[in-house]
């Protein structure tokens, strides 16, 4: 099914739907990539959260419902956008899941007990979004394997879309020969998944070398 969508996608118009952050790299790169490949993209976006945000999307979608062939739910932390999209259209719905809410809070950050009602509700929300989507976007084959096994979703429903970046901002530059510093740079969220703990350990091992470790970000492990 995913192959059929990809072969068809250059001939269609897409509604990019949700409360996603349009400046977040994941969303920005996918939207730009679609446009650069000749796809017409209709944004249906809200900055509002919760029930008010869902109402805002409902209203905005009315003006677009006849202008697109496929609806993409952009990456966000919300798990209520895809159910709304499924209610609003019978056209194919593509969900850019990107990560599992259940895995992130229960097993990565370990902020919720696996046996708690909240953990079960997060599992249900991830499962529901998968069931309601025609295609699910994830960033790696291992992520696809995890989703398929954990939420009992058939593998053909998934499509791998690697994490990209905006090459207007990140591109090879000429080396400054006057700068002799060797810099290891990390930029991201300080959560267990990102492994900042191991960057710190590596910095300690190399503490007597002429290497600078630079870490930019905030998050759960910032105080540690």
């Amino acid at each position: 099914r995913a192959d059929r969508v990809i072969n068809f996608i250059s001939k269609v118009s897409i509604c990019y739907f949700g409360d996603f952050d349009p400046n977040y790299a994941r969303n920005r790169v996918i939207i730009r990539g679609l446009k650069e490949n000749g796809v017409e993209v209709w944004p249906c976006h809200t900055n509002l959260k919760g029930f008010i945000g869902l109402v805002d999307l409902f209203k905005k979608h009315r003006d677009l419902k006849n202008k697109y062939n496929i609806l993409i739910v952009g990456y966000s932390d919300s798990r209520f956008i895809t159910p709304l999209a499924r209610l609003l259209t019978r056209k194919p719905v593509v969900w850019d899941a990107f990560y599992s809410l259940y895995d992130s809070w229960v097993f990565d950050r370990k902020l919720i007990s696996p046996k708690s009602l909240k953990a079960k509700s997060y599992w249900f929300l991830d499962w529901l979004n998968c069931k309601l989507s025609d295609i699910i976007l994830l960033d790696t084959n291992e992520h696809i394997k995890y989703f398929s096994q954990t939420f009992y979703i058939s593998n053909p429903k998934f499509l791998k879309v690697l994490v990209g970046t905006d090459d207007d901002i990140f591109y090879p530059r000429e080396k400054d020969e006057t700068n002799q510093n060797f810099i290891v740079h990390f930029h991201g969220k300080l959560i267990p998944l990102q492994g900042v703990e191991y960057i710190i350990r590596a910095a300690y091992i190399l503490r007597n070398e002429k290497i600078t470790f630079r870490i930019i970000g905030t998050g759960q492990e910032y105080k540690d």
Side-chain angles (χ1 to χ4, degrees):
R1 191 184 303 171
D3 291 339
R4 293 202 300 271
V5 169
I6 289 304
N7 292 333
F8 186 60
I9 205 166
S10 62
K11 304 174 184 178
V12 303
S13 296
I14 285 177
C15 174
Y16 214 85
F17 185 84
D19 63 351
F20 57 91
D21 179 357
N23 293 315
Y24 187 71
R26 176 73 174 181
N27 297 311
R28 190 172 70 244
V29 167
I30 291 179
I31 292 171
R32 178 182 168 185
L34 289 169
K35 290 180 177 179
E36 288 184 354
N37 282 278
V39 178
E40 187 176 29
V41 179
W42 295 92
C44 186
H45 175 257
T46 183
N47 289 317
L48 303 173
K49 299 297 181 181
F51 180 75
I52 297 176
L54 297 178
V55 173
D56 190 38
L57 285 171
F58 174 81
K59 293 178 179 178
K60 290 177 176 177
H61 180 265
R62 287 184 297 193
D63 296 329
L64 298 173
K65 61 183 180 180
N66 297 319
K67 295 182 178 180
Y68 68 88
N69 306 101
I70 295 175
L71 185 147
I72 296 180
V73 177
Y75 159 68
S76 79
D77 291 330
S78 173
R79 290 296 186 266
F80 297 99
I81 304 299
T82 302
L84 174 64
R86 186 77 282 169
L87 287 173
L88 294 179
T89 184
R90 294 184 179 275
K91 297 172 183 178
V93 172
V94 179
W95 175 40
D96 185 17
F98 195 42
Y99 81 104
S100 163
L101 191 71
Y102 171 68
D103 177 55
S104 176
W105 286 91
V106 177
F107 300 106
D108 176 32
R109 304 188 189 195
K110 294 181 173 62
L111 296 175
I112 299 173
S113 168
K115 297 181 179 180
S116 68
L117 181 60
K118 196 168 188 178
K120 290 178 172 59
S121 69
Y122 281 178
W123 183 95
F124 174 77
L125 287 171
D126 279 345
W127 171 84
L128 180 65
N129 277 256
C130 289
K131 294 295 288 186
L132 295 177
S133 303
D134 295 289
I135 299 294
I136 304 158
L137 305 185
L138 291 167
D139 60 339
T140 66
N141 289 330
E142 283 300 314
H143 233 155
I144 290 173
K145 182 180 178 181
Y146 172 82
F147 264 72
S148 181
Q149 293 178 347
T150 304
F151 305 112
Y152 310 109
I153 306 297
S154 61
N155 196 276
K157 202 171 187 179
F158 295 96
L159 183 67
K160 182 178 70 175
V161 177
L162 296 172
V163 176
T165 192
D166 190 338
D167 55 16
D168 283 341
I169 300 172
F170 296 98
Y171 56 89
R173 290 168 168 80
E174 291 186 8
K175 183 180 179 182
D176 181 1
E177 298 295 344
T178 63
N179 187 352
Q180 298 302 311
N181 293 333
F182 188 96
I183 299 174
V184 177
H185 178 88
F186 170 84
H187 193 129
K189 292 184 178 180
L190 306 187
I191 58 177
L193 176 68
Q194 305 296 351
V196 177
E197 169 191 354
Y198 302 99
I199 298 175
I200 298 294
R201 290 183 182 183
Y204 181 76
I205 293 170
L206 298 170
R207 63 191 180 280
N208 295 321
E209 304 293 330
K210 294 181 179 179
I211 300 175
T212 299
F213 283 78
R214 183 168 60 197
I215 296 174
I216 296 178
T218 59
Q220 179 185 349
E221 295 186 322
Y222 180 79
K223 290 183 179 180
D224 293 338

